[in-house]
Amino acid sequence: MPSFAQELRSAVTTRAAVLVIGALVLQLAFIASYVGAFHSPRPKEVALGLVAPRPIGAQLEERLDRLPGRPLDVRTVDGGEAAATAQIRNRDLDAALVVDPRGTTDTLLVAGGAGASLAQATEAVLTRAEAVEGRTVRARDVAPAAAGDARGLTAFYLVVGWCVGGYLCAAILAISAGARPANPHRAVIRLGALALYAAAAGLLGTLIAGPVLDALPGSVLGLWGLGTLVVFAVGATTLALQGLAGIVGIGLAIAIVVVLGNPSAGGAYPYPLLPPFWNAIGPALPPGAGTWSARSIAYFRGNGMTVPLLVLSAWAVAGTAVTMVCAGARGRERGEDVA
């Protein structure tokens, strides 16, 4: 009869033990990242436009900029309320305060489509600051979320779904035929299959969130194109990581997209409410770039999308290039082995 130690070594191989430890690390990182990002949201340098007469505006700007913790980044806006509204809809500003010099009630312009939590946090900060001067604030939403888009979160959940589909598709291709493509031809086939899947996932996700559930407005073609790019970018990145690290690459993709990307995407809490680390990395990762772009298409006429689309394209191109390079290297190794 084999000893217990022999049975243990047979039942749990060294490779399995390493993978289980890796899963534990990934799980703890998931907890730390989500709790760290969401446990204490507070505004930091919210881009606030200020519309006020010069003498009043200069004093108010200085006072608001010096609030404890610097929750606001105040910028004087020339051209009145219309100019401030245009800058919010262009995504150059998060909100704007329009001062009424003849009364005691000022107007705060917000954009609910960019996330209800940001509008509410900005209103809370300004309500407290204005109360010190005996003034009140009345909020007006100039880019409201759709009736079916609770708290402006639909874009975030749609992008998260696209991201999940991207790395799951790449993972299935790895499980069914090996994590590393045997040669460049097979890598091209995998990338082609991923592209077809991305197009289908982008369209179906858009139809569900838009026409079917009426949860997200905006151009169907625009959201379809964005969804295709998000799914392909995440899938190509996963294929690239699998080419570099084998099956462990799936875990690395989850670490980038889920552990780091989702809590920093600006979904539940937009960027100005996130701690510095998550605020910094969010725009550079696929979930953040995708969420920003989806909201731009739905509520801001596609404004402010250049940088996020470049970020997504960079992930897609880099993932494709690394996948092909790894497949080429593996093909040469196999050729040398045969020789």
Side-chain angles (χ1 to χ4, degrees):
M1 293 289 293
S3 66
F4 177 77
Q6 291 173 326
E7 289 282 9
L8 180 62
R9 285 195 295 270
S10 177
V12 183
T13 64
T14 301
R15 182 172 183 270
V18 170
L19 291 175
V20 168
I21 293 172
L24 176 61
V25 172
L26 196 62
Q27 172 188 321
L28 296 177
F30 180 97
I31 294 170
S33 185
Y34 277 72
V35 174
F38 298 152
H39 78 288
S40 182
R42 61 189 64 181
K44 180 70 173 179
E45 297 185 355
V46 176
L48 178 73
L50 179 60
V51 179
R54 293 259 176 213
I56 300 175
Q59 296 174 7
L60 183 57
E61 179 178 353
E62 182 178 2
R63 183 163 59 84
L64 293 177
D65 269 333
R66 291 184 177 181
L67 290 176
R70 197 153 190 263
L72 304 173
D73 178 14
V74 184
R75 310 168 188 181
T76 299
V77 176
D78 296 322
E81 183 176 326
T85 300
Q87 289 192 38
I88 292 173
R89 290 174 176 165
N90 287 336
R91 309 212 75 178
D92 296 324
L93 293 174
D94 296 316
L97 181 65
V98 182
V99 176
D100 181 2
R102 294 168 297 185
T104 59
T105 300
D106 300 328
T107 301
L108 175 63
L109 307 178
V110 297
S117 56
L118 179 58
Q120 292 169 354
T122 305
E123 183 178 359
V125 169
L126 286 169
T127 297
R128 290 193 299 269
E130 291 276 77
V132 174
E133 302 295 323
R135 303 182 67 84
T136 58
V137 173
R138 178 186 59 213
R140 182 155 61 84
D141 201 335
V142 297
D149 184 8
R151 298 186 62 80
L153 290 174
T154 300
F156 170 61
Y157 291 130
L158 176 60
V159 170
V160 167
W162 282 333
C163 289
V164 170
Y167 66 72
L168 282 181
C169 178
I172 290 169
L173 291 172
I175 293 171
S176 63
R180 295 183 174 99
N183 54 57
H185 297 293
R186 293 188 182 181
V188 169
I189 292 172
R190 287 191 182 185
L191 288 167
L194 174 63
L196 292 174
Y197 175 88
L203 176 60
L204 294 175
T206 297
L207 293 178
I208 291 171
V212 174
L213 297 178
D214 196 24
L216 194 68
S219 165
V220 170
L221 288 178
L223 287 171
W224 179 14
L226 173 65
T228 301
L229 180 57
V230 169
V231 175
F232 186 82
V234 172
T237 299
T238 305
L239 289 177
L241 292 171
Q242 290 170 178
L244 292 170
I247 200 71
V248 175
I250 298 174
L252 296 176
I254 292 174
I256 292 172
V257 176
V258 178
V259 174
L260 295 176
N262 286 356
S264 66
Y269 295 119
Y271 296 139
L273 301 183
L274 293 175
F277 174 75
W278 288 269
N279 182 305
I281 66 173
L285 297 177
T291 298
W292 178 279
S293 298
R295 283 174 170 164
S296 290
I297 292 171
Y299 299 116
F300 299 94
R301 301 177 184 176
N303 292 319
M305 288 180 57
T306 301
V307 172
L309 290 181
L310 288 175
V311 168
L312 290 170
S313 299
W315 282 98
V317 171
T320 300
V322 172
T323 299
M324 294 302 299
V325 169
C326 290
R330 186 167 174 79
R332 287 192 296 273
E333 288 177 0
R334 290 170 62 87
E336 292 169 1
D337 291 341
V338 172

